[in-house]
Amino acid sequence: MIAFFSPLHVLHAPANEFFRGQLVPCFESPARAAFVLEEIAARGHELRAPTADSRDLLARIHASRYLAFLESAWSQWLALDPGNAAVQPFPSVWPVRTLRSDVEPGNFIARLGLYSMDNGTPLVAGTWAAAKAGADAAASAARLLAAGERSAFCATRPPGHHAGADFMGGYCFLNNAAVAAQALRASGCARVAVLDVDYHHGNGTQSIFYGRADVLVVSLHGDPRTEYPFYLGHADEAGEGEGLGFNLNLPLPAGTAADTWFSALDAACSRVERHRADALVVSLGLDTFVGDPISKFSLSTGDFHRLGARLAKLGLPTVFILEGGYAAAELGINAANVLDAFDQA
Ligand code: SP5
Ligand code: ZN
C-alpha cells in the first residue's frame, strides 16, 4: 500500500500535557510516527511525501477564522512576550453555555479557549506546519484513489478526528479524515463513509458531517459516559436534518473484550454497506490495543490483522488515516498489520 508521510510532523513536539493537575510528558509524540514509518518501510510499503495542497479543502471543512488563528497562533503568542518561545500556551477560559462565541476576543488566551475543547492539546511553533502536512497527506491519498488506486495510508500526526469545524482538542488540530472524505466527494464519489475505530469517539468528524447525508459517519469507541471526549459519542446521536440517519455511534464500555469489539465492527460494516458508499475513509486509531497507556480496550497485535481483513471485505477504495495509539513501540506493528491484512485480502 502506498503510504503518505511528511517529515514535518517532527515540528509538532510539545513537551507536556496536563493530567490530574500535573504536567506530564505528552502521550502524542514524534516517536509514534517514527515507529510507524520504520515498520511500514520494513514491510515493503511505498513511502511518498504528500503531493496535494489541502488549503481549499480545509476551507470547506474548517471555519476561516479558526484556520487564520491556528496558522498564526504561535506568532501571536510570541507577540505577547518574546520569552514565550520557551513556554507552552494553554487555554484557561472557555465560552460554555450562555457565553458568546461569535465575538473573537482581543486576549490571546481567551481566543485559544474559544478555539479549544480542552486544555489537553498543546500547541507549539511547528504545530501548523505539521498539521497542514497531515491534511496534505489526506488530500494526496484521496487523489490517489481518484486515479484508480485501491487504497492509501496516511501516517499522520498530530491526529485529527477530535478537531471540529472551529476547534482543536484531543491532540487534534485539522480534521484529516474529513479532508479525505471531502476530497473524495470532490473527485466524484457521490457517497462516502467514514469509519472511526479509534478508542475515543471522533467528535470532530461527527460534528462536521452531522447535517449531511452524502458522508456517513460510523464510530466504534469507549462509552463517553466514562471515556474522553465525554460530551459526545452516545448511541442516540443519529444526525440532523438531511443528515438524520447518517451518523451511527456504537459506544462500548471501557474494558470491552476483543470479540465484543469485533461484533460491533460487524454492525458498523453493515451500516457502511447499506450506505452503498463509493469510497471509505478509516480513522485508524490504534489505541484499542491492550497495551495502550490511556485507553481500556484489549485488542492484541494479531487482532489488527483481523481488523484489516474485515475492512477489506467491504470491497471499497479505502483511505486509512492514522489517529490515536500511544503504545508507541507497538504502533508500527499494529498499523502495518492492518495494512498487510487489507492488502492480502
Ligand atoms: C486522537 C486521540 O486518541 N486523542 C485522545 C485524547 C485523549 N485526551 C485525554 C487524555 C487523558 C490522559 N489520561 C491519562 C490516563 C493515564 N492513566
Ligand atoms: Zn484515541
Side-chain angles (χ1 to χ4, degrees), residues 161 198-200 287 324 326:
H161 75 149
D198 188 278
Y199 179 77
H200 306 95
D287 38 15
Y326 307 100

Side-chain angles (χ1 to χ4, degrees), residues 184-324:
L184 289 164
R185 285 285 295 109
S187 73
C189 297
R191 285 176 304 278
V192 173
V194 180
L195 175 53
D196 189 324
V197 298
D198 188 278
Y199 179 77
H200 306 95
H201 174 248
N203 62 283
T205 314
Q206 169 171 317
S207 62
I208 286 165
F209 295 117
Y210 208 60
R212 287 172 55 170
D214 57 334
V215 180
L216 170 73
V217 177
V218 180
S219 181
L220 200 58
H221 51 267
D223 192 325
R225 284 179 176 82
T226 60
E227 305 309 296
Y228 187 90
F230 306 115
Y231 308 113
L232 208 66
H234 300 284
D236 64 348
E237 296 157 13
E240 67 186 9
E242 287 177 14
L244 188 60
F246 294 90
N247 191 85
L248 176 63
N249 284 330
L250 299 166
L252 298 166
T256 292
D259 281 346
T260 308
W261 190 88
F262 277 101
S263 298
L265 180 66
D266 275 336
C269 288
S270 296
R271 180 67 191 89
V272 169
E273 279 175 348
R274 198 156 61 77
H275 189 55
R276 293 181 297 113
D278 302 302
L280 175 67
V281 176
V282 177
S283 264
L284 186 61
L286 298 155
D287 38 15
T288 48
F289 178 53
V290 62
D292 194 90
I294 69 169
S295 310
K296 295 169 186 162
F297 287 165
S298 47
L299 270 61
S300 67
T301 283
D303 284 328
F304 290 103
H305 268 122
R306 192 174 165 191
L307 170 58
R310 182 65 189 86
L311 295 173
K313 269 177 66 183
L314 289 168
L316 292 171
T318 301
V319 174
F320 291 91
I321 311 255
L322 182 65
E323 302 281 3

